[in-house]
Amino acid sequence: MKKIAVLTRDCAGVNAAIRSVVRTAFEQGIEVMGVMRGYDGLIDGELVSLDRRSVSGILNHGGTILKTARAKRFFEESFQRQAVKTVQDNNIDGLIVIGGNGSLMGAHVLASKYGVPVVGIPATIDNDVNSVDLSLGADTAVNVALDALDKIRDTATSLERIFIVEVMGRSCGYIALQLALAGGCEEVLVPELSMDINGMCDEIKEGNSKGKVSWIVIVAEGKAKAHDISGIITKKTGFETRVAVLGHIQRGGRPTALDRIIAAHLGNYAVEVLKDGSSDCCVTLKEGKPVTIPLEIAIRPKKLDVNSYYWLIKILT
Ligand code: F6P
């Protein structure tokens, strides 16, 4: 193996993974190209050369130095063929794809349909890659959200108010559940669970009658809009509410130590397995050891054990 390329999505820890890939490859005498702007850059042949120095000083930065895009064109076969042509024209022997479900689905297409050697590194704040305990970026996202939540709690307690905090997660309640548990929140609304808004309002009224005056409700963006929930609570309980939508602050930011450590291991292991001939798989840590998972399994829907989380959140508040 003489030359590989790396293609990314963005979240905290991705730069640390690029650094690990580049420096591991360099150690093995393998040249590394960076694909700019995700699959769009692969289609358009937008590649840059990466050497040891070009990844200096990026370990502690969020986002991706390679920039990224949601490349809708890649769903079309003609553009897939153009992407494969970029790989062939540039004599790329293997590709490392760092990203979430969409990126890994693209990686699976390249490997299974066109025979491009591809290894993925799961990286998504949603932590919804099947068979993967912890994707890159998820730990940072929860910690960023927790930092914001602790500040909101100060005001909620001081002013004896109800806050509705909206977090990311279009079809997955991972961040919401982690945050509710770590932040001691009273209620959490996630796409995986049905919502009993009347029951929640009754609980708030009952709690209030017993002297409980401040509440924090976490809502995953894919379940409902915080402003709508706030309106319903005010209407049904008569209590004033406030809303905080955390949004994209959760995806960026300085990666936690855990995300950097995972990135170091997985970047290194991805190069090793690609060099040894593995493809159509992604790498992850199981009990602290790097392992591979077929992409065909990783891209299946992940089932989160929401019920036990929810139960614990409720008994601890
Ligand atoms: O998949 C990661 C994620 O941050 C989701 O949590 C969120 O719903 C989505 O991406 C937002 O996408 P965009 O940045 O394209 O608006």
Side-chain angles (χ1 to χ4, degrees), residues 9 70 124-126 168-170 175 221 248 251:
R9 266 301 281 176
R70 290 214 186 271
T124 166
I125 63 168
D126 293 345
M168 276 188 160
R170 229 180 341 219
I175 296 179
E221 60 175 343
H248 283 80
R251 208 158 82 203

Side-chain angles (χ1 to χ4, degrees), residues 107-173:
H108 181 53
V109 167
L110 287 173
S112 61
K113 193 165 159 191
Y114 300 99
V116 177
V118 187
V119 172
I121 300 179
T124 166
I125 63 168
D126 293 345
N127 199 26
D128 57 353
V129 177
N130 188 40
S131 279
V132 168
D133 295 339
L134 194 59
S135 295
L136 269 186
D139 185 60
T140 303
V142 172
N143 277 288
V144 165
L146 185 61
D147 181 55
L149 181 75
D150 286 345
K151 290 168 183 154
I152 291 167
R153 168 82 68 196
D154 291 344
T155 300
T157 310
S158 304
L159 278 120
E160 305 187 326
R161 266 185 191 154
I162 300 169
F163 266 85
I164 324 300
V165 179
E166 185 180 313
V167 297
M168 276 188 160
R170 229 180 341 219
S171 50
C172 163

